Amino acid sequence: MTLTRRSFTVLAVASFAMPAFAATEPRWFNAGDDLATSGRDVVAYFSLGNEDGVMGSDAHSTEHKGTIFHFANAENLATFKADPDKYAPRFGGYCAFAMSKGYFAPGDPDAWTVHEGALYLNASKAIRARWALRRASHIASGDTNWMTHFPGER
């Protein structure tokens, strides 16, 4: 019985501490290059089929919520500037599957999905396939978990 109480206490403390630790993650995932989606053009995803992301360039870039976004051309840059929250990846570019489970994991800009007008990244194409099996519930869980880390943010 003592072991059960002790285990419960440890789990309770960990569940309250987890958001505090996780909140130290940056708002945007980057792979050490200080670029959202490792420099991929987030607007281009909305017109791609199933290909890998399109690289942007320094010539067409802007800052949004503290991170740099690159675009393949001036048209995509202008489209992004007109409505950046529509095109920026959900969950800050972190893995959507991981966020649905309550933790942060790197998002792979080539393991992407556009669903109901929003861009999601996953840690890999295999994880993306798992995430897609229960996409709606994973998105709902991810939204809830994201809001505990970044209240008021999309």
Side-chain angles (χ1 to χ4, degrees), residues 3 12 14 17 23-24 41 48 74 76 108 116-117 122 130 133 146 153:
L3 180 60
T24 63
D41 181 336
L48 291 175
N76 285 3
D108 178 346
E116 294 184 354
N122 279 284
R130 267 184 78 192
L133 294 174
W146 184 255
E153 288 287 325

Side-chain angles (χ1 to χ4, degrees), residues 38-54:
S38 294
R40 305 306 194 288
D41 181 336
V42 294
V43 173
Y45 286 113
F46 289 79
S47 61
L48 291 175
N50 197 23
E51 309 96 276
D52 288 346
V54 175

Side-chain angles (χ1 to χ4, degrees), residues 25-69:
E25 290 291 332
R27 166 67 173 83
W28 292 100
F29 170 73
N30 76 68
D33 50 18
D34 295 326
L35 298 172
T37 61
S38 294
R40 305 306 194 288
D41 181 336
V42 294
V43 173
Y45 286 113
F46 289 79
S47 61
L48 291 175
N50 197 23
E51 309 96 276
D52 288 346
V54 175
M55 288 303 294
S57 73
D58 285 330
H60 307 290
S61 65
T62 191
E63 183 177 329
H64 175 63
K65 293 184 179 178
T67 198
I68 303 295
F69 286 80

Side-chain angles (χ1 to χ4, degrees), residues 2 17 23 30 34 37 47 52 64 69 81 83 99 104 109 129-130 137 144-146 148-149 154:
T2 306
N30 76 68
D34 295 326
T37 61
S47 61
D52 288 346
H64 175 63
F69 286 80
K81 284 184 171 183
D83 192 359
M99 188 54 58
F104 290 87
R130 267 184 78 192
S137 66
T144 299
N145 292 330
W146 184 255
T148 65
H149 303 298
R154 177 183 89 77

